[in-house]
């Protein structure tokens, strides 16, 4: 039995007809055409489908769309603002944390969630905090470097310009 | 990978939850974080007609500590939120450690303590810690509430004491006695994202001003279909000061009552060996928390 669900994704409201057994990943990808969110294992193991719900990293392959009403959902498509990449996106690019790219949206959303919870993680906290995201290409170190760089403020324009203004 | 069809129900409060459960009985499944349920429904087998979502129920999501009654954790409270309560790390360290080891960050954000217990996997991480900390569960249903120790609640592989129409309401951990410490140690071949092969939780209470053991409890995990409360082994510790011989006797007693399986991951014999090491390690860590140094 399908029902209309109101979803708030990347600060925009969406009204979608969904069946109870549709996951948030499927709705976002197939019904809303936002294919940035990837599916790998579809059972919680790989992290490719990671999105933010109310600021924290969730696995959209094991989240029901009907259960996501009234929550603030952010997908990879929601990070770029006014043509400018989010610091973590920029860092992943520059530190070469991308190769084939299938894990990348999940890695980035997971890093966002980690930094929301812990803005200055240690290297060890980054390694543990990113352990839910599998990557078969990069060997992880470059991903960790990118998260570390963002945590250290290297990609924080505002901070730099504020510091400059003082 | 698609989920089978079902009807989704989101009760507004526990009263509505109880009536939905009594209406739909065995045809319904409770959905909390979904990290076990939805994964299981994606593979052939589990096909509930109704999925009842309790994740929005504030009544089941609280985590409250009271210096008299102890720590009461709502069954739908998220693993991450429990870990973040300072009192959990301070007074219930074994529980904190058992949660820290679960899955990855996303799983702890989504998954609940009630889900970890009700799923009743022999390899679940929190049950041994809860058993060693003498936790009790409150079960609610149309006929009223019942309370029982965690080791009685978990009946077998994927079996609990829940009867038709009942749900798990909360988990209560008593206030640990003064001078007590606890620890959870587990063995996995890889670091994370993998289930434990053997697990042990220990709580010790020491006499005031001296290092004699006043009381102890030991729980063994993954070496049987349910966590085993090793009371006879723990009793050997009472009234003693720790020594290598004493701990060897205790860990041997634990190995003797364990019933590990033989499988492709490890032989039963190997699991028993590891179990003994874990008993000693977990004891040491719990003991040091109180005594300040090793034996
Ligand atoms: C990738 C991955 C890694 C994992 N790693 C670990 C690990 O390292 N250690 C570990 O122990 N577990 C692990 N798990 C299993 C799982 O995440 C945990 O068991 C989690 O605590 C389940 O909680 P949940 O809220 O998601 O439960 P759900 O999936 O929502 O529910 C689990 C079961 O309990 C029932 N249930 C839930 N709440 C209640 C209630 N209040 N009353 C009655 N029945 C109820 C449900 O009907 C269902 O049968 C992992 C899972 C995944 C996908
Ligand atoms: S696709 Fe969701 S965790 Fe792998
Ligand atoms: S870049 Fe290929 S899997 Fe990570």
């Amino acid at each position: 039995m399908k029902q209309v669900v109101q979803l708030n994704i990347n600060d925009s409201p969406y009204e979608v007809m969904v069946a109870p057994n549709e996951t948030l990943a499927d709705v976002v990808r197939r019904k809303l055409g936002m294919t940035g969110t990837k599916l790998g294992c579809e059972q919680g193991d790989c992290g490719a489908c990671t999105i933010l719900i109310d600021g924290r990293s969730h696995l959209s392959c094991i989240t029901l769309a009907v259960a996501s009403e009234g929550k603030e959902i952010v997908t990879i498509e929601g990070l770029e603002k006014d043509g400018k990449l989010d610091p973590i996106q920029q860092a992943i690019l520059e530190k070469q944390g991308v190769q084939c790219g299938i894990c990348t949206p999940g890695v980035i959303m997971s890093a966002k969630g980690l930094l929301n919870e812990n803005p200055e993680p240690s290297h060890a906290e980054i390694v543990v905090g990113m352990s839910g995201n599998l990557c078969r290409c990069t060997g992880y170190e470059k991903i960790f470097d990118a998260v570390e760089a963002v945590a250290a403020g290297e990609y924080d324009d505002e901070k730099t310009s504020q510091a400059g203004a003082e | 990978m698609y989920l089978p069809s079902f009807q989704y129900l989101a009760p507004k409060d526990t009263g509505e939850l109880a009536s939905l459960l009594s209406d739909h009985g065995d045809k319904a499944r409770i959905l909390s974080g979904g990290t076990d349920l939805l994964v299981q429904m994606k593979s052939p087998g589990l096909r509930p007609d109704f999925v009842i979502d309790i994740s929005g129920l504030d009544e089941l999501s609280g985590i409250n500590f009271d210096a008299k009654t102890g720590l009461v954790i709502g069954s739908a409270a998220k693993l991450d939120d429990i870990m973040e309560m300072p009192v959990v790390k301070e007074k219930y360290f074994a529980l904190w450690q058992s949660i820290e080891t679960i899955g990855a960050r996303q799983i702890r954000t989504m998954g609940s303590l009630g889900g970890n217990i009700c799923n009743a996997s022999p390899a679940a991480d929190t049950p041994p810690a809860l058993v060693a900390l003498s936790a009790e569960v409150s079960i609610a249903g149309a006929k009223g509430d019942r309370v029982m120790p965690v080791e009685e609640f978990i009946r077998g592989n994927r079996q609990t004491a829940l009867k038709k129409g009942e749900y798990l309401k909360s988990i209560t951990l008593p206030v640990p006695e003064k001078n007590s410490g606890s620890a959870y140690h587990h063995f996995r071949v890889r670091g994370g994202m993998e289930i434990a092969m053997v697990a042990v939780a220990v709580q010790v209470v020491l006499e005031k001003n001296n290092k004699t053991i006043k009381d102890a409890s030991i729980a063994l995990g993954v070496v049987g279909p349910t966590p085993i409360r090793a009371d006879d082994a723990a009793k050997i510790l009472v009234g003693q000061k720790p020594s290598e011989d004493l701990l060897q006797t205790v860990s041997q007693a634990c190995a003797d009552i364990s019933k590990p399986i033989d499988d492709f991951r490890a032989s039963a014999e190997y699991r028993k060996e590891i179990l003994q090491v874990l008993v000693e390690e977990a004891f040491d860590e719990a003991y040091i928390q109180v005594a300040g140094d090793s034996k």
Side-chain angles (χ1 to χ4, degrees):
Chain A
M1 203 183 42
K2 293 209 176 191
Q3 62 192 85
V4 178
V5 175
Q6 322 267 353
L7 297 176
N8 176 343
I9 306 173
N10 304 329
D11 284 331
S12 302
Y14 292 87
E15 236 181 45
V16 218
M17 279 289 275
V18 302
N21 63 346
E22 286 182 86
T23 63
L24 191 54
D26 282 332
V27 168
V28 161
R29 287 175 51 83
R30 303 163 75 101
K31 296 226 154 119
L32 302 175
M34 290 186 249
T35 52
T37 300
K38 300 301 175 205
L39 284 170
C41 66
E42 299 191 43
Q43 48 184 8
D45 288 314
C46 75
C49 65
T50 305
I51 54 162
L52 297 183
I53 298 182
D54 295 336
R56 303 179 85 171
S57 317
H58 283 68
L59 301 170
S60 60
C61 72
I62 48 173
T63 299
L64 298 180
V66 282
S68 308
E69 268 195 307
K71 296 182 176 161
E72 211 173 284
I73 300 162
V74 180
T75 67
I76 189 75
E77 287 87 352
L79 292 193
E80 184 189 319
K81 293 265 148 68
D82 306 321
K84 210 165 149 295
L85 293 180
D86 187 272
I88 184 70
Q89 291 177 301
Q90 195 65 40
I92 290 271
L93 269 180
E94 286 178 18
K95 304 282 178 191
Q96 298 175 2
V98 184
Q99 284 185 30
C100 79
I102 184 82
C103 72
T104 311
V107 162
I108 289 173
M109 299 317 286
S110 182
K112 280 297 278 185
L114 171 64
L115 294 168
N116 283 348
E117 280 168 39
N118 180 1
E120 284 171 37
S122 64
H123 185 78
E125 286 171 331
I126 293 172
V127 173
V128 174
M130 296 299 295
S131 71
N133 293 81
L134 302 185
C135 174
R136 298 301 302 267
C137 303
T138 64
Y140 300 105
E141 284 306 326
K142 288 163 197 256
I143 293 174
F144 301 154
D145 288 349
V147 181
E148 225 161 355
V150 173
E154 270 180 51
Y155 287 83
D156 204 338
D157 281 354
E158 260 173 56
K159 227 187 231 165
T160 356
S161 57
Q162 267 171 13
E166 268 164 27
Chain B
M1 224 190 261
Y2 294 102
L3 285 164
S5 351
F6 54 83
Q7 203 172 322
Y8 173 80
L9 304 166
K12 283 180 295 299
D13 51 40
T14 48
E16 195 182 339
L17 169 64
S19 74
L20 288 174
L21 284 170
S22 71
D23 287 353
H24 301 304
D26 293 344
K27 293 188 167 152
R29 272 302 177 124
I30 287 179
L31 170 73
S32 183
T35 60
D36 278 315
L37 183 72
L38 297 181
V39 173
Q40 286 160 22
M41 284 172 61
K42 281 188 173 192
S43 48
L46 191 57
R47 295 281 177 273
D49 293 334
F50 301 91
V51 167
I52 307 178
D53 187 355
I54 60 166
S55 64
L57 295 180
D58 290 342
E59 287 169 90
L60 297 181
S61 305
I63 310 165
N64 296 297
F65 178 73
D66 177 289
K68 282 210 184 80
T69 45
L71 180 67
V72 181
I73 303 175
S75 64
K78 299 296 188 188
L79 295 168
D80 236 2
D81 294 336
I82 300 167
M83 255 182 89
E84 276 160 25
M85 293 272 291
V87 71
V88 175
K89 197 168 180 177
E90 242 166 63
K91 292 199 183 324
Y92 306 96
F93 191 60
L95 176 65
W96 188 89
Q97 286 182 305
S98 74
I99 296 176
E100 193 202 21
T101 184
I102 291 181
R105 200 164 36 84
Q106 291 97 320
I107 298 294
R108 291 192 303 272
T109 300
M110 299 172 69
S112 62
L113 183 61
N116 196 234
I117 302 171
C118 291
N119 189 55
S121 156
D125 279 295
T126 67
L130 292 168
V131 169
L133 295 168
S134 303
E136 291 190 324
V137 296
S138 292
I139 299 171
K143 289 189 197 122
D145 290 9
R146 333 187 255 147
V147 173
M148 64 177 71
V150 170
E151 62 270 25
E152 279 174 33
F153 180 74
I154 301 177
R155 284 284 165 83
N157 183 4
R158 311 234 174 258
Q159 284 171 324
T160 67
L162 287 173
K163 294 194 187 126
K164 216 170 138 180
E166 285 184 329
Y167 63 93
L168 180 65
K169 193 165 87 177
S170 59
I171 301 98
T172 301
L173 291 91
V175 183
E177 275 186 64
K178 275 220 174 75
N179 299 314
S180 63
S182 67
Y184 173 75
H185 279 225
H186 56 88
F187 183 74
R188 288 161 152 83
V189 175
R190 290 179 289 148
M193 296 296 284
E194 190 206 6
I195 55 171
M197 207 181 263
V198 183
V200 174
V202 173
Q203 182 176 42
V204 283
V205 187
L206 304 190
E207 297 286 1
K208 222 184 287 167
N209 306 327
N210 89 41
K211 296 180 177 177
T212 307
I213 300 158
K214 187 178 167 201
D215 201 0
S217 57
I218 303 174
L220 315 176
V222 214
V223 288
T226 66
I228 300 169
R229 201 179 147 102
D231 281 336
D232 289 340
K235 246 182 248 153
I236 302 172
L237 290 164
V238 176
Q240 307 290 318
K241 283 198 169 141
S243 69
E244 232 158 81
D245 282 351
L246 178 70
L247 277 162
Q248 246 167 33
T249 315
V250 172
S251 68
Q252 184 61 52
C254 290
D256 290 345
I257 59 162
S258 70
K259 302 180 200 81
I261 52 164
D262 246 321
D263 74 358
F264 66 94
R265 293 193 301 142
S267 66
E269 197 189 341
Y270 180 68
R271 287 171 198 254
K272 282 193 186 226
E273 290 277 331
I274 297 286
L275 176 73
Q276 295 189 42
V277 177
L278 293 186
V279 169
E280 293 179 27
E281 279 183 6
F283 173 86
D284 268 356
E285 190 175 9
Y287 184 81
I288 290 166
Q289 282 165 30
V290 202
D293 57 57
S294 193
K295 294 168 257 188

